[in-house]
C-alpha cells in the first residue's frame, strides 16, 4: 500500500518532467522510456522505482520501464545512463546514499 507521505513526492517528481516536455518539438517521447534503478530487485528502491515508472507512464501516456542494474555501489547503472544516447529516453532513479560515497 502506498503511504500518504510518498504519494505527494511521486507526484512532484512527475511534475518536474513537464518543463522538459514543453521544450521539445513534440517528437519526444516517441518510444518507451527506460528508468534505471540502481539497486537490486527486492530492495527499497525496487518499490519506489517501479512505482515512479508507473506514475510517469500515466503522465506521459507512454510505457516507462523500470530496469534494475545493480552493482558496485551504483557505478554500473550510473555508467550505463551516462553512456546512453542523449535522446532523453533513459533516466535514472537514484538516491544520495548511492552517489555520495562513490567517486
Amino acid at each position: 500500500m502506498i503511504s500518504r507521505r510518498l504519494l505527494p513526492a511521486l507526484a512532484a517528481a512527475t511534475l518536474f518532467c513537464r518543463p522538459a516536455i514543453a521544450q521539445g518539438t513534440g517528437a519526444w517521447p516517441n518510444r518507451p522510456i527506460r528508468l534505471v534503478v540502481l539497486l537490486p530487485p527486492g530492495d527499497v528502491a525496487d518499490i519506489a522505482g517501479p512505482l515512479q515508472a508507473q506514475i510517469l507512464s500515466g503522465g506521459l501516456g507512454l510505457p516507462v520501464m523500470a530496469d534494475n542494474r545493480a552493482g558496485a555501489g551504483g557505478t554500473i547503472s550510473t555508467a550505463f545512463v551516462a553512456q546512453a544516447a542523449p535522446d532523453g529516453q533513459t533516466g535514472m532513479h537514484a538516491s544520495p546514499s548511492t552517489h555520495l560515497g562513490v567517486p
Side-chain angles (χ1 to χ4, degrees):
M1 183 168 178
I2 302 170
S3 72
R4 292 185 184 249
R5 291 185 204 172
L6 182 62
L7 195 57
L10 292 173
T14 304
L15 291 175
F16 287 124
C17 293
R18 291 200 174 266
I21 294 169
Q23 293 172 6
T25 59
W28 185 90
N30 54 3
R31 62 181 190 276
I33 296 171
R34 175 180 291 179
L35 181 67
V36 178
V37 180
L38 301 176
L39 300 172
D43 202 296
V44 175
D46 194 41
I47 297 169
L51 186 60
Q52 185 179 16
Q54 180 182 9
I55 291 172
L56 287 170
S57 179
L60 295 172
L62 199 69
V64 178
M65 302 173 294
D67 182 9
N68 293 80
R69 293 189 178 259
T75 54
I76 292 175
S77 54
T78 303
F80 176 79
V81 173
Q83 295 170 357
D87 57 3
Q89 300 296 129
T90 305
M92 182 167 53
H93 177 82
S95 68
S97 63
T98 57
H99 282 78
L100 291 176
V102 180

